[in-house]
Amino acid sequence: MLKKIREKILKGKRLTRSDALKLFETDDIFALGELASYVAKNKNGNKAYFVRNLHVNPTNICVNRCGFCAFSRSKGENGAFELTIKDILRRIRKAQPISEVHIVGGLHPEWQFEYYLEMLSSIKKSFPELHIKAFTATEVDYMHRISGLSLKDVLKALKSQGLDSMPGGGAEIFHSSVRNRLCPEKLSGERWLEVMEAAHSVGIKTNATMLYGHIENYEHRVDHLMRLRELQDRTGGFQAFIPLSYHPKNTEIGGRNSSGIDDLKTIAVSRLVLDNFPHIKAYWVMLGEKVSQLALLFGADDLDGTVIDEKITYSAGGKRTGITENELVHLIKKAGKKPVERDSFYRSIRRCKTA
Ligand code: V47
């Protein structure tokens, strides 16, 4: 069944929508892994990347209450929190040595745009070497609405105060038939892509994600990948694609966790379809350490990082928040790959003995 697709891949030809669907539908997981691994090796050799990073969620108070999210709260609800800039700086200080801080939070009903700018400039002032990867397309679109500024002016202002790149969250599933049921209040898939296009146009690199394993089907996943590939053809601004495996605990829509086979399949198909994305990330926080290690043989070349203080997955039944560099190196080496500590633009950091 995969013969024709295999030939295309070996010749370096681009896969079609129908090829992508066939890949999702196949039970031949080993053939899929072999092909994805072949493509990953051509792109990144035997390397598997990781970064020393901290996650900071400035608030979980959110005016959108997405059906898959166990992290968000309404203002005044039990468990709702708001961090001050001092709190954030304290957390960053405590997490040293790190090279990246990943900041995402809820859409707070009262915070002004200036608060986000001050957050960035204060972090940069205290930690000038630290890469700030912050704010999803959802948050940036919200900042555009609360500030009255154009999207590009919001992005330029964030950049001028210290934003170095943007994470890929908020993409979920672009297709409106799924999105309207999953997160009706959230920005549309088209708008998410517009925000990313604007970010790329002002020189901000970003990532992209896809939340899978809930109410979507393979056609929706393929549609999502195709739209990302199309935008990447035009801008080249995406660095990594991260399939996010849905966690059902404490969520409104419930359901079950994805299977290990589906996780590996999704990594492999992403690697094969997104031929213009330099990196595919196996996010260990959602996949678990063991499946993410296997994902390195199914097309992934990046395990994300130490991910200190992760809360979004943890609230939805994630097992762990934070892993040591030694553990990451061990997982990578046991997969037969070469561990490379990277910065946020995938440049090797030399202090790592194993790099
Ligand atoms: O946008 C929310 C997802 C995302 C659940 O860019 C859930 O480097 C699973 O985007 N089960 C935030 N997923 C995380 C994210 C991310 C993570 C790591 C690296 C990068 C990067 C980005 O988490 C949200 C949403 O899609 N999410 N709830 C849940 N119950």
Side-chain angles (χ1 to χ4, degrees):
M1 184 183 166
L2 296 185
K3 193 164 170 269
K4 279 199 178 139
I5 299 182
R6 172 191 296 273
E7 279 167 14
K8 268 188 170 177
I9 292 167
L10 297 182
K11 284 187 186 148
K13 284 196 177 157
R14 177 160 270 199
L15 301 183
T16 62
R17 195 171 277 264
S18 113
D19 294 332
L21 199 56
K22 283 196 188 113
L23 291 175
F24 269 121
E25 281 165 354
T26 186
D27 288 327
D28 196 348
I29 189 78
F30 293 119
L32 204 51
E34 195 193 350
L35 288 173
S37 209
Y38 165 83
V39 170
K41 267 199 184 142
N42 279 346
K43 285 195 184 287
N44 292 296
N46 208 31
K47 291 181 206 146
Y49 294 97
F50 66 94
V51 65
R52 290 184 201 230
N53 60 350
L54 162 77
H55 280 213
V56 172
N57 309 114
T59 182
N60 61 351
I61 298 175
C62 191
V63 297
N64 283 358
R65 299 302 303 270
C66 301
F68 57 81
C69 180
F71 171 71
S72 71
R73 295 285 182 277
S74 295
K75 177 113 182 144
E77 194 181 337
N78 215 0
F81 69 81
E82 296 163 344
L83 299 187
T84 62
I85 290 173
K86 261 193 178 165
D87 294 330
I88 295 173
L89 294 177
R90 199 174 311 120
R91 283 179 192 213
I92 296 175
R93 199 162 296 119
K94 197 171 148 219
Q96 296 299 322
I98 50 167
S99 62
E100 173 188 282
V101 61
H102 171 132
I103 306 179
V104 296
L107 309 183
H108 195 286
E110 286 150 17
W111 285 0
Q112 307 286 307
F113 181 47
E114 288 66 33
Y115 185 61
Y116 299 98
L117 296 178
E118 198 189 329
M119 192 185 292
L120 293 170
S121 59
S122 310
I123 297 172
K124 262 300 174 228
K125 196 166 158 225
S126 301
F127 304 95
E129 303 295 318
L130 187 65
H131 180 106
I132 309 181
K133 180 178 76 175
F135 309 131
T136 63
T138 312
E139 292 165 275
V140 170
D141 182 51
Y142 187 64
M143 291 175 200
H144 147 74
R145 286 189 276 139
I146 60 173
S147 67
L149 295 174
S150 74
L151 204 47
K152 277 197 185 167
D153 284 344
V154 166
L155 288 157
K156 283 183 194 159
L158 293 170
K159 195 176 173 199
S160 75
Q161 297 306 305
L163 180 82
D164 294 302
S165 70
M166 281 169 59
E172 324 313 356
I173 287 282
F174 295 142
H175 200 286
S176 58
S177 67
V178 174
R179 202 168 183 91
N180 292 341
R181 286 163 61 203
L182 203 60
C183 45
E185 290 152 352
K186 200 165 213 157
L187 81 176
S188 67
E190 291 72 30
R191 183 66 177 161
W192 187 97
L193 290 161
E194 248 172 64
V195 175
M196 288 314 201
E197 184 162 9
H200 299 168
S201 80
V202 301
I204 300 171
K205 292 275 182 194
T206 77
N207 288 335
T209 59
M210 172 177 75
L211 180 67
Y212 68 93
H214 39 85
I215 56 172
E216 89 294 358
N217 61 31
Y218 289 153
E219 266 122 12
H220 299 128
R221 293 190 199 178
V222 170
D223 173 72
H224 193 95
L225 296 178
M226 289 294 161
R227 294 206 218 183
L228 287 173
R229 189 172 79 181
E230 192 273 325
L231 178 55
Q232 178 75 333
D233 273 344
R234 284 191 288 117
T235 66
F238 289 117
Q239 299 206 100
F241 176 69
I242 311 134
L244 301 174
S245 131
Y246 171 60
H247 282 55
K249 204 172 162 195
N250 305 318
T251 68
E252 191 193 315
I253 61 167
R256 49 167 57 166
N257 285 89
S258 59
S259 70
I261 293 292
D262 197 20
D263 293 336
L264 293 177
K265 200 181 245 191
T266 309
I267 291 275
V269 180
S270 307
R271 179 60 291 165
L272 293 170
V273 174
L274 296 178
D275 52 10
N276 51 7
F277 273 63
H279 303 285
I280 301 291
K281 202 185 266 195
Y283 187 40
W284 67 263
V285 175
M286 290 196 189
L287 299 179
E289 298 93 302
K290 291 186 180 182
V291 173
S292 21
Q293 183 188 38
L294 292 172
L296 296 175
L297 307 179
F298 280 77
D301 61 280
D302 184 6
L303 288 185
D304 198 290
T306 47
V307 197
I308 304 165
D309 265 359
E310 198 283 336
K311 289 197 171 62
I312 297 175
T313 320
Y314 196 70
S315 345
K319 301 277 179 292
R320 204 174 160 175
T321 106
I323 192 168
T324 64
E325 184 200 333
N326 280 346
E327 283 174 280
L328 288 171
V329 167
H330 177 74
L331 289 172
I332 293 169
K333 281 188 171 168
K334 286 286 174 187
K337 300 276 169 180
K338 182 177 181 240
V340 178
E341 184 184 345
R342 63 167 175 86
D343 70 8
S344 305
F345 294 124
Y346 288 84
R347 293 174 299 214
S348 162
I349 290 183
R350 295 200 178 277
R351 76 173 150 207
C352 178
K353 295 187 287 290
T354 50

